[in-house]
C-alpha cells in the first residue's frame, strides 16, 4: 500500500490548478492533483540592475520580480473511479478514462477551434492585426500560503495503462510552470493582484524567520566587523 494511504497518515489539502475568467474572476474549471507530488522544484532568476562584474553602484539593486519557475510530477489514476463507475462524477472517467483531465491540460497551451477559425476569418477579411483571444487565467494553488498566477510552459504526459477502449487509466504528468508577475500582466490585470498578494504573503513569512542568528554563525557582531 502506498504511504499516502497508510493508517495515521495526516489528511492534507490537495494542490492543483484553477482556471479563472480573467475579466471577472469566475472559476471556469479546477484541475485537482489526485495525489500531491512528493517534490516540487522552484528556480528563481533575479532581475538585477547591475549584473556585470565591477558595476558597483548597481550591485544591490533589483529592477523587478525574479523569474520563477515551478516543476512538479503528478500521478493520475482512474482505478478508484472505475471501481464505482455509477457514482456521481465518475461517468466521464468510466467512458473516457483520463482523457478529459488530460484534454483540459492540453487546452492550457492550445487555442480553441473557434478561436482558430475566427483568426482565419479575420485574416481573410483583410485584418491588419489579429489579436489572439485571451486564454483563461491559470492559478497554481499549493496551500493557502501559495496561490500564484502561472503559465504552463511545458508538460510531458506518460500514459502507463489503458482500458479495453485504449483510454488511458494511469498516467504521469510532468508540469513546468512560470509564475506570472506584474511585469508580464501589468498592474491592472486580475492576475497581478494575485501576484502582489503572493508577494506580500512571502514578505510576511520571511518576517517570521528570526533575524538574530549571528551567534549560530559564530559571529558576535555585525558581519564584516568595524
Amino acid at each position: 500500500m502506498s504511504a499516502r494511504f497508510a493508517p495515521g497518515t495526516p489528511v492534507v489539502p490537495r494542490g492543483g490548478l484553477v482556471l479563472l475568467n480573467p475579466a471577472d474572476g469566475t472559476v471556469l474549471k479546477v484541475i485537482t492533483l489526485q495525489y500531491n507530488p512528493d517534490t516540487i522544484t522552484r528556480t528563481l532568476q533575479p532581475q538585477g540592475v547591475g549584473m556585470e562584474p565591477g558595476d558597483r553602484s548597481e550591485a544591490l539593486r533589483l529592477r523587478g520580480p525574479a523569474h520563477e519557475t515551478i516543476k512538479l510530477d503528478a500521478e493520475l489514476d482512474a482505478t478508484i473511479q472505475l471501481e464505482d463507475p455509477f457514482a456521481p462524477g465518475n461517468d466521464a472517467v468510466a467512458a473516457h478514462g483520463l482523457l478529459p483531465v488530460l484534454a483540459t491540460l492540453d487546452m492550457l497551451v492550445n487555442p480553441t477551434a473557434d478561436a482558430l477559425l475566427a483568426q482565419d476569418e479575420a485574416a481573410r477579411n483583410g485584418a491588419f492585426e489579429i489579436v489572439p483571444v485571451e486564454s483563461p487565467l491559470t492559478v497554481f494553488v499549493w496551500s493557502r500560503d501559495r496561490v500564484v498566477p502561472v503559465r504552463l510552459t511545458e508538460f510531458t504526459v506518460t500514459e502507463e495503462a489503458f482500458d479495453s477502449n485504449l483510454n488511458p487509466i494511469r498516467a504521469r504528468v510532468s508540469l513546468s510552470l512560470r509564475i506570472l508577475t506584474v511585469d508580464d500582466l501589468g498592474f491592472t490585470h486580475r492576475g497581478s493582484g494575485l501576484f502582489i498578494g503572493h508577494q506580500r504573503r512571502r514578505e510576511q513569512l520571511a518576517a517570521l524567520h528570526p533575524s538574530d542568528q549571528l551567534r549560530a554563525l559564530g559571529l558576535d557582531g555585525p558581519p564584516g566587523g568595524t
Side-chain angles (χ1 to χ4, degrees):
M1 179 181 293
S2 173
R4 62 174 67 93
F5 299 117
T9 300
V11 177
V12 296
R14 296 177 181 176
L17 299 172
V18 180
L19 308 185
L20 303 178
N21 184 323
D24 58 16
T26 303
V27 176
L28 302 176
K29 192 160 293 189
V30 177
I31 306 173
T32 303
L33 297 181
Q34 191 172 8
Y35 307 118
N36 286 334
D38 294 327
T39 61
I40 285 183
T41 301
R42 297 191 300 121
T43 302
L44 288 82
Q45 296 177 307
Q47 291 197 75
V49 174
M51 300 300 289
E52 296 296 327
D55 194 353
R56 299 176 182 176
S57 64
E58 308 291 351
L60 301 180
R61 300 182 189 276
L62 298 172
R63 68 169 181 264
H67 295 155
E68 183 173 354
T69 58
I70 299 172
K71 293 185 178 181
L72 59 93
D73 293 329
E75 298 179 18
L76 302 176
D77 193 332
T79 303
I80 296 177
Q81 290 95 326
L82 293 176
E83 289 177 351
D84 190 3
F86 300 106
N90 288 356
D91 53 340
V93 175
H96 305 288
L98 295 173
L99 286 179
V101 64
L102 294 178
T104 302
L105 289 171
D106 288 346
M107 293 309 302
L108 296 182
V109 294
N110 284 289
T112 65
D114 286 343
L116 291 174
L117 293 172
Q119 291 176 16
D120 178 66
E121 183 178 0
R124 291 175 181 273
N125 291 332
F128 291 103
E129 183 178 1
I130 302 174
V131 179
V133 177
E134 187 173 17
S135 62
L137 174 62
T138 304
V139 180
F140 178 60
V141 179
W142 190 257
S143 82
R144 292 180 179 273
D145 289 325
R146 287 191 280 186
V147 179
V148 289
V150 296
R151 168 175 287 172
L152 180 59
T153 57
E154 182 180 10
F155 76 100
T156 302
V157 180
T158 303
E159 300 175 3
E160 298 179 330
F162 304 86
D163 63 15
S164 58
N165 294 317
L166 296 184
N167 296 316
I169 57 175
R170 191 170 67 246
R172 287 184 294 111
V173 180
S174 298
L175 301 177
S176 180
L177 309 168
R178 181 179 181 274
I179 291 182
L180 298 176
T181 72
V182 292
D183 288 346
D184 302 302
L185 301 170
F187 283 90
T188 60
H189 194 280
R190 183 173 300 275
S192 288
L194 291 173
F195 175 77
I196 292 294
H198 170 66
Q199 192 71 358
R200 290 192 185 281
R201 183 53 180 158
R202 185 151 49 183
E203 293 166 8
Q204 294 168 355
L205 292 170
L208 297 177
H209 181 71
S211 58
D212 188 13
Q213 302 238 346
L214 294 178
R215 291 185 182 275
L217 298 175
L219 301 173
D220 294 329
T226 56

